[in-house]
Amino acid sequence: MVSAGSVTFTDPLDSYVYTVYDANGTYIGDFNTTETLLLESGLNYQIFVKPNTVSLITDPIEGARWTMAYIPVVFALMLVSLIVIGLVLIYRKGVRL
């Protein structure tokens, strides 16, 4: 339970959805990082945090942002290197893509 006047959520990848209820269990709303939530400071609130879902099929750019944020750069570079090496080997064998 929290008691506050103004709440701003900070999440650069917008990877969470914040669901807010008052102390009686009345639903107030779902919020993300682009919104500032104004609460009455004399009341108690419950804030539930749940992961935001990203679909690589419907939004590939957002999926790529998530991948680069959560996979260390070294692994990303290794993956790119493997792809380049694989393409060079395929080309040398005479297989046309």
Side-chain angles (χ1 to χ4, degrees):
M1 306 269 279
V2 296
S3 178
S6 173
V7 178
T8 302
F9 303 111
T10 304
D11 180 16
L13 290 176
D14 196 23
S15 58
Y16 296 102
V17 174
Y18 303 91
T19 304
V20 181
Y21 295 90
D22 68 5
N24 297 325
T26 305
Y27 174 76
I28 294 178
D30 288 331
F31 301 91
N32 59 22
T33 58
T34 60
E35 300 171 280
T36 299
L37 176 60
L38 297 174
L39 301 172
E40 294 183 38
S41 60
L43 300 176
N44 291 323
Y45 297 92
Q46 297 175 354
I47 299 177
F48 295 93
V49 181
K50 58 185 172 184
N52 197 359
T53 57
V54 172
S55 174
L56 295 176
I57 295 171
T58 59
D59 194 359
I61 301 300
E62 187 67 24
R65 280 185 43 205
W66 274 47
T67 302
M68 294 310 294
Y70 291 113
I71 294 179
V73 175
V74 173
F75 292 128
L77 290 175
M78 286 175 36
L79 180 62
V80 169
S81 298
L82 287 174
I83 291 171
V84 168
I85 290 170
L87 289 174
V88 167
L89 290 175
I90 290 172
Y91 182 76
R92 286 191 166 211
K93 292 233 178 214
V95 178
R96 301 287 181 222
L97 296 176

